[in-house]
Amino acid sequence: TVTELGKVSGSDTVLVLGASGGVGSVIVTAAHALGARVVAQTGQAAKRDWVAGLGADEVIVADENSLAEALRKVRPTVVFDPLGGPYTGIAIEALQPRGRLVLFGTSAGPEGALPLQLLYRKALSLLGYAGLIESDETMAAAVTAALKAQASGQMSVSIDSVLPLLAVNDAFFRLRHRDVCGKLVLDTGGSTR
């Protein structure tokens, strides 16, 4: 997603929305490894230092009501958006002309208002991640590339917790209440730890 859709390079300023989440945290590490300036957004002040430790050059603590103001001086060339809802329109407003917005989730809402005039007047590219419709071969190649990036240090996957499968309800509770930094893993090995 970072290199193929976002085409991130060292000359980019990358805004990662939802940077303390499982995918957002990986994107922060990958964009940082590519030499981009990384601005990471999280909705919780308690997660600021953790996100900064991933390689973010700047961490913005803001929700949908304060994000536009927080981004007033940030002009990203690429935005990665797992949130959707009101965040997508705010991201479009912040993007530099000819910027790229990669949308790969809607955890803040499946619908939102888009400033359509800005979309075309700035010549922005709106890109959707479509992993669910990719072929098995394409997905296998992507997994192989991700594992190589992880092994070489170009990307890092942060694991918050490993829980037994029997704790699936606890896992959903923690996700729903945003009580996770990075990935939450369910152990299906039959262990009841």
Side-chain angles (χ1 to χ4, degrees):
T1 302
V2 174
T3 55
E4 286 142 13
L5 285 177
K7 301 196 182 314
V8 172
S9 72
S11 63
D12 282 308
T13 296
V14 175
L15 171 62
V16 182
L17 299 176
S20 58
V23 179
S25 62
V26 172
I27 291 172
V28 169
T29 67
H32 172 76
L34 291 167
R37 178 173 180 264
V38 180
V39 178
Q41 176 271 339
T42 181
Q44 297 180 12
K47 296 181 180 182
R48 178 193 300 268
D49 291 343
W50 184 84
V51 172
L54 298 172
D57 298 288
E58 180 179 351
V59 179
I60 293 172
V61 178
D63 62 13
E64 68 269 16
N65 299 313
S66 57
L67 184 60
E69 179 63 31
L71 292 177
R72 191 170 298 274
K73 295 181 182 176
V74 177
R75 290 290 168 238
T77 54
V78 184
V79 174
F80 289 93
D81 179 5
L83 303 177
Y87 290 90
T88 304
I90 296 167
I92 288 172
E93 290 177 17
L95 271 164
Q96 288 188 28
R98 292 186 170 54
R100 299 158 324 268
L101 184 136
V102 179
L103 182 64
F104 60 94
T106 56
S107 64
E111 297 180 8
L114 299 182
L116 295 176
Q117 286 182 329
L118 290 179
L119 193 61
Y120 72 82
R121 287 180 177 170
K122 288 183 173 183
L124 301 179
S125 296
L126 177 57
L127 308 158
Y129 172 72
L132 295 175
I133 63 169
E134 295 293 352
S135 68
D136 290 344
E137 295 80 20
T138 299
M139 292 307 292
V143 168
T144 299
L147 290 173
K148 285 181 182 178
Q150 172 80 15
S152 70
Q154 294 175 322
M155 178 181 88
S156 177
V157 178
S158 297
I159 306 296
D160 179 285
S161 303
V162 178
L163 300 173
L165 186 57
L166 293 174
V168 68
N169 289 336
D170 293 336
F172 281 123
F173 179 85
R174 288 187 60 198
L175 289 170
R176 189 171 34 253
H177 291 89
R178 300 177 189 252
D179 184 29
V180 177
C181 288
K183 292 285 190 182
L184 194 66
V185 177
L186 290 175
D187 181 357
T188 62
S191 170
T192 58
R193 287 187 240 177

